[in-house]
């Protein structure tokens, strides 16, 4: 099965967690993942072959980064070192990165756009925060998601909060309902 490169995104410095998952999948599909995720050279590889494969993977990864990111990894020739450097630069658990993601999570749904895209952006922010150790209760996430909807969705918000099982508005409950609402309209 050939990967769908049209769906791959370029790392721009603000989308690291989404890019990382997609890049990891591409590396797996192309069977290039071992160079990034292992530290030991296989016994059946010569040092020259191993070094060449590392440079090949580094070149492959660099194809999927913007110039502002490329400047940080342009001279790396070891795949694991390059991967770890990107992790250090863009996935650090610093307060600044966490604040940036929280600011991203303050997004509002824009009428006429895809609710699926909105949900994806919302989920991405909280997935990244979760990977940094920041956790939110499911009910808070459900309510937060409801709060991103515009005033024209007020009837749905009221209906959801009043009909939630056991009075708990979960993230899955909200997602399912608003996706169904988009299909219905």
């Amino acid at each position: 099965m050939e990967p769908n490169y049209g769906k791959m995104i370029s790392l721009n410095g603000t989308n690291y967690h989404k890019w990382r998952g997609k890049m990891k999948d591409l590396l797996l599909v192309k069977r290039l993942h071992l160079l990034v995720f292992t530290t030991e050279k296989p016994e059946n590889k010569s040092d020259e072959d191993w070094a060449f494969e590392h440079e090949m993977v580094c070149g492959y990864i660099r194809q999927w980064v913007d110039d502002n990111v490329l400047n940080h990894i342009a001279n790396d020739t070891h795949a694991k070192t390059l991967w770890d450097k990107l992790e250090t630069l863009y996935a650090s658990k610093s307060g600044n990165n966490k604040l940036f993601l929280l600011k991203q999570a303050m997004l509002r749904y824009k009428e006429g756009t895809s609710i699926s895209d909105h949900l994806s952006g919302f989920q991405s922010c909280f997935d990244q925060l979760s990977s940094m150790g920041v956790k939110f209760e499911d009910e808070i996430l459900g309510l937060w998601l409801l709060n991103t909807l515009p005033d024209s969705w007020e009837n749905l918000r009221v209906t959801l909060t009043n009909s939630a099982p056991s009075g708990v508005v979960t993230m899955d409950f909200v997602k399912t309902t608003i996706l169904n609402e988009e299909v219905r309209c």
Side-chain angles (χ1 to χ4, degrees):
M1 180 164 88
E2 189 63 25
N4 183 353
Y5 296 113
K7 298 285 185 181
M8 185 56 194
I9 58 173
S10 185
L11 175 61
N12 63 22
T14 63
N15 61 348
Y16 175 74
H17 291 276
K18 189 174 193 177
W19 174 90
R20 179 185 63 189
K22 289 178 173 265
M23 178 53 66
K24 188 175 181 181
D25 287 346
L26 279 178
L27 292 170
L28 285 165
V29 167
K30 292 209 148 275
R31 298 183 178 271
L32 299 172
H33 62 288
L34 289 178
L35 292 126
V36 173
F37 302 108
T38 62
T39 54
E40 308 245 343
K41 175 180 73 93
E43 291 178 17
N44 63 344
K45 293 249 185 233
S46 71
D47 289 343
E48 290 138 0
D49 287 345
W50 189 242
F52 174 75
E53 287 181 16
H54 271 280
E55 287 195 46
M56 183 178 67
V57 171
C58 288
Y60 184 73
I61 292 171
R62 283 193 284 264
Q63 290 179 14
W64 299 105
V65 301
D66 286 357
D67 288 343
N68 64 321
V69 175
L70 181 62
N71 294 329
H72 299 290
I73 58 169
N75 298 318
D76 286 293
T77 58
H78 189 276
K80 180 146 180 50
T81 303
L82 182 148
W83 191 266
D84 291 346
K85 185 184 284 187
L86 290 173
E87 182 87 16
T88 299
L89 287 169
Y90 299 108
S92 86
K93 297 179 181 183
S94 71
N96 192 43
N97 282 352
K98 292 173 185 175
L99 278 173
F100 173 79
L101 289 169
L102 279 174
K103 190 174 184 179
Q104 295 289 102
M106 300 296 182
L107 58 96
R108 298 285 293 172
Y109 172 68
K110 293 175 185 73
E111 295 282 353
T113 62
S114 166
I115 197 72
S116 297
D117 290 345
H118 176 71
L119 288 173
S120 178
F122 184 84
Q123 187 69 54
S124 176
C125 289
F126 289 99
D127 288 348
Q128 291 176 62
L129 283 163
S130 179
S131 73
M132 293 179 176
V134 178
K135 307 288 185 225
F136 293 91
E137 288 184 30
D138 191 47
E139 184 175 17
I140 295 295
L141 292 174
L143 291 168
W144 194 325
L145 178 56
L146 273 179
N147 195 48
T148 68
L149 300 174
D151 291 341
S152 62
W153 289 61
E154 183 63 22
N155 287 340
L156 180 72
R157 273 199 296 263
V158 170
T159 301
L160 274 175
T161 54
N162 289 336
S163 66
S166 305
V168 178
V169 181
T170 66
M171 180 75 151
D172 282 341
F173 180 63
V174 174
K175 276 189 204 178
T176 301
T177 305
I178 63 177
L179 282 169
N180 287 337
E181 182 68 14
E182 181 180 48
V183 170
R184 190 183 69 74
C185 295

